[in-house]
Amino acid sequence: MVSATVGRGAVLGAVVLSLLAVPARAATAEPDTAEQATLAAPDTAGVAAALRSAVTAGAPGAMARIDDHGTAYGVTRGLADRSTRRALTTDDRFRIGSVTKTFSAVVLLQLVDEHRLSLDAPVNRYLPKLLPDDRITVRHLLSHRSGLYDYTNDMFADSESGFEAVRNKVFTYRQLVALSLKKPRTNAPGAAYAYSNTNFVVVGMLIEKLTGHSVRTAYENRVFKPLKLRDTFYVHPRTTIPGRYARGYLTPGRAGAPLIDATAQTVSWAQSAGAIISSTRDLDTFYSALLRGRLLSAARLREMEEFSRVDSTTAYGLGLRRRSLPCGVSVYGHTGIVQGYYTYAFATKDGSRSLAAVATTSNNGQVQQAMWGVLDSAFCGKSAKATDRNRKK
């Protein structure tokens, strides 16, 4: 289903693992100087085709919402619930996985704006003796350059048994950090980009230490309420999603095995690295507001947009990913995986066009790949099809 709603007023607006498996490499943060091609109109037919491909590849449902200068386009395919056969709608809430990391980064950078911490100070200054190396700074956490091992590599070495072992478990932050510190660090602090959920677990600890409140309260007071995000929640350690939501299904590793309903879980193994619940509307609002400078000072936003190259199409800043599309447009946001959901949320540099999309499964590489096509059609328009044809020649 494709729908469009027009508004004349200004619109506000990664198991959690990275959607990109890339080797660690030397990383030097540089200001964002990405050039932008002329932005074509969104190709909603192309978006619908990409969502249809995701459903054909095994996702029970897939949806996307584009906000283009106040005009919203919603596209859905498939089901929100396999048992009741209810159709998916763009009003349905879902678990956003590592897209949570941008929310956490925003809160921490607001604290920098308030002179309550320094990005280049050792983490151990604020959390004494937590980490084994005083050279690890706050900036290293936010840019995935701390060298701290990602404990989820071991936790979900087997996707099904790993998930069942933790779906109802409640961890403390320190327990998660301890799991990481059982393993050697991946590199020296600042030497290389290496995606690790451990970094943003420590970010959550910093938020709670410096504010004196839970991350839930910090998210609510600093982001959810100011932006009027009516579908966005942090309910940890509760296992339920409030209100109307899409169920998420884990794809088993065994061919032919039935999908596993993974909707109910604590997400305690991720917390500030990946436990937020939201909707496509709210994610569009959030990234548009962020990139328009509504959440951070100009100085902090510039620092957030100092990117280290990850591969030929992606770079990482401070809790923010930049992706270069085939048409020459660069978009800014994050990706997320939590059991049952693949999430993609990006916007243009000026926040004038935003996209939020989700497929209601995980552990399925074909679905994951199909969903990247949503970005191309949303930001490159019909030229994305011609570019794709040229790449295949």
Side-chain angles (χ1 to χ4, degrees):
M1 183 175 78
V2 181
S3 61
T5 16
V6 180
R8 293 299 178 189
V11 177
L12 296 177
V15 205
V16 180
L17 293 174
S18 169
L19 285 178
L20 302 168
V22 295
R25 67 187 71 200
T28 303
E30 297 179 351
D32 179 34
T33 57
E35 296 183 4
Q36 295 291 315
T38 302
L39 203 62
D43 176 15
T44 56
V47 169
L51 298 179
R52 186 164 53 249
S53 294
V55 171
T56 299
M63 63 176 164
R65 182 184 185 275
I66 304 165
D67 193 303
D68 185 28
H69 295 85
T71 300
Y73 303 88
V75 189
T76 62
R77 289 290 181 271
L79 303 173
D81 188 322
R82 297 177 71 235
S83 297
T84 65
R85 309 299 292 177
R86 180 174 71 81
L88 189 66
T89 78
T90 54
D91 292 329
D92 286 321
R93 298 165 180 167
F94 51 91
R95 300 190 185 279
I96 68 172
S98 280
V99 178
T100 299
K101 290 179 171 66
T102 308
F103 286 83
S104 298
V106 164
V107 172
L108 205 63
L109 289 168
Q110 288 177 347
L111 295 172
V112 176
D113 270 332
E114 295 163 14
H115 307 291
R116 297 168 77 172
L117 85 162
S118 168
L119 282 173
D120 295 311
V123 173
N124 285 344
R125 176 184 298 178
Y126 308 105
L127 299 168
K129 300 181 180 180
L130 177 70
L131 302 181
D133 193 329
D134 285 339
R135 296 175 298 166
I136 298 174
T137 68
V138 177
R139 192 186 301 273
H140 292 153
L141 298 178
L142 293 173
S143 59
H144 291 296
R145 293 187 293 139
S146 69
L148 294 172
Y149 180 79
D150 189 346
Y151 60 87
T152 64
N153 291 341
D154 299 328
M155 188 177 282
F156 301 117
D158 182 280
S159 60
E160 297 160 65
S161 62
F163 170 59
E164 294 298 348
V166 301
R167 72 181 299 168
N168 294 309
K169 193 167 182 177
V170 177
F171 293 93
T172 67
Y173 281 130
R174 288 188 178 272
Q175 286 174 328
L176 296 175
V177 173
L179 290 175
S180 169
L181 297 182
K182 288 179 180 180
K183 292 295 185 74
R185 279 169 282 155
T186 56
N187 49 258
Y193 168 93
Y195 192 95
S196 174
N197 288 288
T198 309
N199 292 316
F200 278 78
V201 166
V202 180
V203 167
M205 296 178 72
L206 285 167
I207 290 170
E208 294 195 344
K209 177 68 178 291
L210 293 166
T211 64
H213 299 291
S214 67
V215 292
R216 175 182 178 177
T217 298
Y219 292 146
E220 289 176 347
N221 291 343
R222 292 172 173 271
V223 183
F224 300 172
K225 290 178 181 177
L227 295 183
K228 296 180 172 60
L229 304 182
R230 65 178 183 235
D231 298 318
T232 306
F233 305 91
Y234 183 85
V235 302
H236 172 267
R238 297 205 310 270
T239 62
T240 54
I241 299 177
R244 184 186 178 101
Y245 60 88
R247 304 195 75 87
Y249 300 89
L250 174 64
T251 303
R254 295 170 290 111
L259 295 174
I260 298 167
D261 190 331
T263 311
Q265 58 170 303
T266 62
V267 201
S268 190
W269 55 268
Q271 301 188 48
S272 52
I276 286 178
I277 293 160
S278 194
S279 68
T280 54
R281 184 194 71 89
D282 278 7
L283 292 181
D284 279 341
T285 298
F286 170 66
Y287 278 107
S288 180
L290 171 61
L291 292 163
R292 288 179 174 182
R294 295 198 54 180
L295 293 171
L296 298 172
S297 69
R300 295 294 81 73
L301 185 57
R302 282 195 300 270
E303 288 191 283
M304 195 178 205
E305 295 173 347
E306 291 179 354
F307 291 97
S308 299
R309 185 176 181 273
V310 175
D311 62 17
S312 61
T313 60
T314 60
Y316 204 90
L318 303 183
L320 189 69
R321 191 185 301 284
R322 184 184 72 206
R323 183 169 177 89
S324 301
L325 301 179
C327 61
V329 171
S330 290
V331 291
Y332 303 76
H334 216 287
T335 50
I337 308 175
V338 65
Q339 291 92 349
Y341 306 90
Y342 285 127
T343 302
Y344 304 70
F346 288 88
T348 52
K349 181 73 176 290
D350 63 358
S352 63
R353 184 181 301 177
S354 54
L355 162 81
V358 64
T360 59
T361 194
S362 62
N363 198 37
N364 184 321
Q366 289 181 297
V367 171
Q368 182 177 326
Q369 190 59 40
M371 291 297 290
W372 283 117
V374 175
L375 270 76
D376 293 351
S377 293
F379 293 105
C380 294
K382 293 182 179 179
S383 67
K385 295 178 181 177
T387 303
D388 187 56
R389 284 195 300 268
N390 291 335
R391 282 186 295 181
K392 291 177 181 179
K393 288 181 180 178

